[in-house]
């Protein structure tokens, strides 16, 4: 978490389908987008991280209060933070268990989202939702769906303008848009 008390934005961040490109993972790297991605070993797993991702997440870290909200839980600090070049002490929102399902996330993040919202902060939850279903949380956070059209990874154009301005001020110089191939039956990004 950024210790800058003046920041008015908090971000809850997932790993798989956000930082770890699921399209690359499922295609074993045989997937092409306008930004290259490479595999990294993260414990016993291989993660595919687009080249721009480290700069993007570092800028989010510098300009917001950042929290992990992922099935990786504390292992995100151990394995993912070093890949991205951020500190390994990011607060982790967890349910205290070690299950691989994602159903726990909405209930687990609500108290933190309520507290931050009560402090006047805007809270974003960046996740591969495949369509946001947690409407009971919309009063305390705003979802950013990284898989609305099968993207399978966070793209710079997913970020709302408020967050885009902050990361630019924090020194992000990566692409503002990354194009992905799309298959018949899906809508291209930006359409």
């Amino acid at each position: 978490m950024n210790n800058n008390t003046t920041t008015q934005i908090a971000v809850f961040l997932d790993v798989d389908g956000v930082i770890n490109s699921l399209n690359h993972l499922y295609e074993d790297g045989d997937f092409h987008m306008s930004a290259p991605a490479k595999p990294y070993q993260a414990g016993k797993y291989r993660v595919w991280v687009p080249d721009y991702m480290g700069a993007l997440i570092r800028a989010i870290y510098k300009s917001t209060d950042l929290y992990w909200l992922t099935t990786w839980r504390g292992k995100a600090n151990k394995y993912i933070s070093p890949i991205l070049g951020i500190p390994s002490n990011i607060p982790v929102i967890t349910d205290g268990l070690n299950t691989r399902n994602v159903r726990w996330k909405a209930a687990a993040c609500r108290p933190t989202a309520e507290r931050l919202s009560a402090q006047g902060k805007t809270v974003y939850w960046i996740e591969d939702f495949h369509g946001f279903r947690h409407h009971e949380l919309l009063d305390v956070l705003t979802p950013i769906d990284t898989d609305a059209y099968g993207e399978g990874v966070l793209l710079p154009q997913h970020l709302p303008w408020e967050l885009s301005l902050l990361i630019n001020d924090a020194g992000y110089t990566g692409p503002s848009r990354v194009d992905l191939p799309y298959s018949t039956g899906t809508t291209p990004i930006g359409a």
Side-chain angles (χ1 to χ4, degrees):
M1 176 171 70
N2 182 337
N3 291 324
N4 180 353
T5 57
T6 62
T7 184
Q8 290 301 305
I9 295 182
V11 172
F12 299 168
L13 188 62
D14 184 31
V15 172
D16 297 322
V18 175
I19 294 165
N20 178 20
S21 170
L22 293 184
N23 290 318
H24 284 85
L25 182 65
Y26 295 150
E27 299 293 329
D28 198 31
D30 190 25
F31 179 83
H32 302 281
M33 56 192 263
S34 64
K38 34 184 174 221
Y40 295 86
Q41 199 61 38
K44 61 183 180 178
Y45 299 102
R46 179 171 47 184
V47 295
W48 286 88
V49 180
D51 289 352
Y52 64 84
M53 193 63 70
L56 183 63
I57 301 303
R58 284 191 300 275
I60 290 172
Y61 167 78
K62 288 177 187 175
S63 57
T64 71
D65 290 337
L66 184 62
Y67 296 80
W68 288 119
L69 180 55
T70 173
T71 57
W72 287 76
R73 296 173 177 83
K75 291 179 183 176
N77 277 322
K78 182 175 182 179
Y79 296 115
I80 307 301
S81 290
I83 292 169
L84 301 171
I86 60 174
S88 293
N89 62 348
I90 306 299
V92 177
I93 298 172
T94 184
D95 61 349
L97 302 174
N98 197 25
T99 60
R100 292 291 300 159
N101 74 59
V102 297
R103 291 181 296 247
W104 60 270
K105 290 183 179 185
C109 79
R110 184 168 189 98
T112 304
E114 287 175 342
R115 178 178 52 79
L116 294 168
S117 183
Q119 295 171 1
K121 295 182 188 270
T122 301
V123 180
Y124 292 105
W125 180 4
I126 305 175
E127 174 81 52
D128 56 324
F129 291 111
H130 315 283
F132 189 72
R133 295 174 186 87
H134 308 288
H135 301 285
E136 72 281 2
L137 293 175
L138 291 176
D139 60 331
V140 292
L141 61 78
T142 301
I144 298 173
D145 191 349
T146 63
D147 205 35
Y149 301 108
E151 300 96 313
V153 69
L154 174 63
L155 304 175
Q157 63 263 30
H158 285 136
L159 301 179
W161 69 269
E162 175 185 39
L163 199 45
S164 293
L165 292 174
L166 280 178
I167 66 167
N168 288 338
D169 289 347
Y172 176 68
T173 58
S176 61
R177 177 173 188 82
V178 173
D179 294 318
L180 291 172
Y182 60 95
S183 61
T184 307
T186 61
T187 306
I189 298 166

